Amino acid sequence: MDQKVILIADDADLNREMLKLIFNEQFYILEARDGQEAIDTIAANKETLSVIFLDLVMPNKDGIEVLKYMADENLKGRIPVIMITGEATDATDEKAYEYGASDIIYKPFSPNVVMRRTLNIIELFESKAILEKQLVEETNQFDQITNELKESNAFLIDMLSSVVEFRGTESSDHISHIQTFTSIMLNYVREYYPKYGLTEEQCKLITIASALHDLGKISIPDSILLKPGKLTPEEFAEMKKHTTFGSDIIAASKKNDSEFYTYCYDICRYHHERYDGNGYPDRLSGDDIPIWAQVVSIVDVYDALINKRVYKPVYEYNEAMRMIKDGECGVFSPEIMDCFDLAKEELIATTIIK
Amino acid sequence: MTAKEFYDKIGGNYNEIIGRLMSEDIIPKFCDIFFENDCYQQLLDGMNEKNVDKAFRAAHTLKGISANMAFTQLTLISSAITECLRAGDMDGASIIFPKLKREYEKAESAYEELKN
């Protein structure tokens, strides 16, 4: 049967008997004669208890200790506690509420009032529990949808990037390398250079956006993109345009101003800029180059060095590190160089595993 | 002696207890439970031993069950003694105690009459 269970904890049997008289038709009644018994009974029946009547002054642990036990066990919001007290003073009332009682009844008991308030409080807690359950379910659903959206976004971006990659000459793992290296570098930037104000969530978005850095190569003719050997100055000038082609494509697809749009645009356009102003296409310098573009720049160079390309041999990791440090691939900011140094071991480890 | 006469004799509130128990028939059962409670004896011991904590707990219980039984006189006097003891005032409690003893014993003997 669906009979509700209540616990009456009071050291005076007369008080328990009076409450039993009120409730024994509608409820299944458990009794405790002191605080310790109350705690044991609560522990054994915490799933089924609908309400607890608790006397404040009891031997072997008083009512306050029972409430503390309930707070420790996280039962406070789940099982309502009605304090039984002899004196209706503001001080004792305040104390009872402060320790988490839901309501207070005074001796002598008035049966109708006690019954009415008890039923109200049970109903209140039951609907609260139902609402909480619904909220948890809805939150789970929402999280699931958000995750699916994030996954499908990342999937589409990877696919788009792969289209460029397959046509090009870069190793098939270039995109995933860039993302992994970008993520590693960003962790160091975030930790050691709080001045850039990067959050974990922003770093995730930047990592996704990094896949698109060479998107503009889709507009570079095969004769240049796939040419083995050195490009002529005219061809190189054309090749450099992949940065602006990329940012143009991004700008053309712009729906609204968002962080993610900015990361995609900046990374496409500025990932060949250099700290000293000797990069392209806009010859930006210093921290005019967004930090996310600076990060993608250096990991793009690093990945290019350690992988074979039509136009260059493959370099060993340490040699690649040395070339970057010596400025052979252009100048990077001191902060970026510092993070690259900090990330060195991790970058090499990830590269070897791959 | 009727239950009504019993309540009148000891300064209790008959209508109140009927409101609580809904029936006169179970008054004796609850009186039994009341007088079986050892809080009065504990209070007596606590007073003799000058043990404030023990006396306070006992007075507090006596006050609660007296109130529930609608033993109005006993409730008032045990309430007064409870407050003295809560404040740690053993001397104040000692002054009131004989009056409580009289009331309790009066209730006890009236109850014997009611039962017979």
Side-chain angles (χ1 to χ4, degrees), chain A residues 13-76:
Chain A
D13 31 4
L14 186 108
N15 299 331
R16 294 200 307 274
E17 288 301 324
M18 289 235 165
L19 284 174
K20 273 162 77 178
L21 200 64
I22 301 172
F23 291 109
N24 63 8
E25 271 183 33
Q26 290 189 43
F27 295 89
Y28 183 78
I29 297 168
L30 300 169
E31 292 179 68
R33 284 168 300 185
D34 61 40
Q36 189 56 54
E37 273 190 25
I39 288 173
D40 295 343
T41 312
I42 294 167
N45 298 280
K46 56 185 166 197
E47 301 303 327
T48 48
L49 273 172
S50 281
V51 69
I52 297 169
F53 290 95
L54 188 62
D55 187 15
L56 265 181
V57 183
M58 286 189 294
N60 299 329
K61 294 194 176 170
D62 59 14
I64 298 299
E65 284 179 273
V66 176
L67 284 174
K68 279 184 187 153
Y69 161 81
M70 291 187 67
D72 290 345
E73 294 292 307
N74 252 331
L75 295 170
K76 250 166 139 180

Side-chain angles (χ1 to χ4, degrees), chain A residues 51-56 63-64 66-68 70-71 75-77 79-85 92-106 117 121 124-125 128:
Chain A
V51 69
I52 297 169
F53 290 95
L54 188 62
D55 187 15
L56 265 181
I64 298 299
V66 176
L67 284 174
K68 279 184 187 153
M70 291 187 67
L75 295 170
K76 250 166 139 180
I79 310 171
V81 175
I82 299 177
M83 274 289 177
I84 306 168
T85 172
T92 50
D93 287 11
E94 231 168 76
K95 199 168 154 196
Y97 286 129
E98 187 189 316
Y99 282 101
S102 303
D103 204 350
I104 301 173
I105 57 169
Y106 306 100
R117 280 162 92 166
I121 223 155
L124 188 73
F125 269 66
K128 196 176 112 193

Side-chain angles (χ1 to χ4, degrees), chain B residues 10-11 16 18 49 55 66 69 76 94:
Chain B
I10 67 163
E16 188 188 319
I18 291 301
E49 296 160 15
S66 301
M69 286 303 290
L76 291 172
S94 303

Side-chain angles (χ1 to χ4, degrees), chain B residues 16-82:
Chain B
E16 188 188 319
I17 195 65
I18 291 301
R20 196 162 303 132
L21 300 183
M22 303 298 173
S23 146
E24 197 180 282
D25 301 345
I26 53 173
I27 289 179
K29 178 193 159 195
F30 276 87
C31 284
D32 278 341
I33 300 172
F34 178 88
F35 289 110
E36 276 162 18
N37 195 304
D38 71 346
C39 61
Y40 177 71
Q41 188 57 48
Q42 293 284 331
L43 176 57
L44 214 64
D45 295 347
M47 295 301 291
N48 287 333
E49 296 160 15
K50 302 270 176 210
N51 183 335
V52 179
D53 188 56
K54 185 176 177 179
F56 167 72
R57 283 171 176 278
H60 185 267
T61 303
L62 183 61
K63 170 190 156 191
I65 62 177
S66 301
N68 267 338
M69 286 303 290
F71 293 165
T72 316
Q73 274 308 314
L74 216 41
T75 306
L76 291 172
I77 192 107
S78 53
S79 178
I81 213 165
T82 302

Side-chain angles (χ1 to χ4, degrees), chain A residues 179-246:
Chain A
Q179 286 191 323
T180 312
F181 298 160
T182 299
S183 167
I184 292 170
M185 277 290 288
L186 284 170
N187 282 339
Y188 287 98
V189 175
R190 187 159 65 90
E191 189 173 342
Y192 290 91
Y193 292 98
K195 67 171 177 177
Y196 295 111
L198 291 177
T199 65
E200 196 182 344
E201 193 55 33
Q202 286 173 325
C203 290
K204 280 184 191 161
L205 291 176
I206 295 168
T207 302
I208 296 171
S210 70
L212 293 171
H213 68 288
D214 274 343
L215 180 65
K217 282 190 178 169
I218 202 79
S219 306
I220 303 296
D222 282 354
S223 58
I224 297 173
L225 190 67
L226 304 177
K227 183 181 175 184
K230 233 175 147 32
L231 299 176
T232 68
E234 294 75 27
E235 287 167 336
F236 190 52
E238 195 60 27
M239 185 65 170
K240 283 176 171 178
K241 288 183 184 167
H242 82 274
T243 51
T244 47
F245 287 150

Side-chain angles (χ1 to χ4, degrees), chain A residues 116-271:
Chain A
R116 197 59 256 165
R117 280 162 92 166
T118 305
L119 292 177
N120 283 347
I121 223 155
I122 290 175
E123 201 184 306
L124 188 73
F125 269 66
E126 280 176 355
S127 29
K128 196 176 112 193
I130 291 168
L131 279 177
E132 276 170 3
K133 204 170 148 230
Q134 277 175 353
L135 191 68
V136 168
E137 276 168 18
E138 278 165 21
T139 310
N140 286 343
Q141 273 176 6
F142 181 76
D143 286 351
Q144 202 188 334
I145 291 168
T146 311
N147 279 336
E148 279 170 17
L149 269 175
K150 276 186 190 161
E151 275 171 26
S152 54
N153 268 343
F155 171 75
L156 284 174
I157 286 163
D158 283 358
M159 206 170 64
L160 189 58
S161 314
S162 306
V163 170
V164 180
E165 205 179 327
F166 277 132
R167 192 175 148 253
T169 52
E170 276 141 16
S171 83
S172 58
D173 289 332
H174 180 59
I175 300 294
S176 75
H177 283 179
I178 291 292
Q179 286 191 323
T180 312
F181 298 160
T182 299
S183 167
I184 292 170
M185 277 290 288
L186 284 170
N187 282 339
Y188 287 98
V189 175
R190 187 159 65 90
E191 189 173 342
Y192 290 91
Y193 292 98
K195 67 171 177 177
Y196 295 111
L198 291 177
T199 65
E200 196 182 344
E201 193 55 33
Q202 286 173 325
C203 290
K204 280 184 191 161
L205 291 176
I206 295 168
T207 302
I208 296 171
S210 70
L212 293 171
H213 68 288
D214 274 343
L215 180 65
K217 282 190 178 169
I218 202 79
S219 306
I220 303 296
D222 282 354
S223 58
I224 297 173
L225 190 67
L226 304 177
K227 183 181 175 184
K230 233 175 147 32
L231 299 176
T232 68
E234 294 75 27
E235 287 167 336
F236 190 52
E238 195 60 27
M239 185 65 170
K240 283 176 171 178
K241 288 183 184 167
H242 82 274
T243 51
T244 47
F245 287 150
S247 59
D248 288 349
I249 295 170
I250 300 281
S253 316
K254 183 180 178 182
K255 289 281 183 291
N256 47 37
D257 275 315
S258 73
E259 264 181 278
F260 188 59
Y261 167 81
T262 307
Y263 300 145
C264 292
Y265 184 94
D266 290 352
I267 287 169
C268 280
R269 191 171 183 108
Y270 305 127
H271 73 280

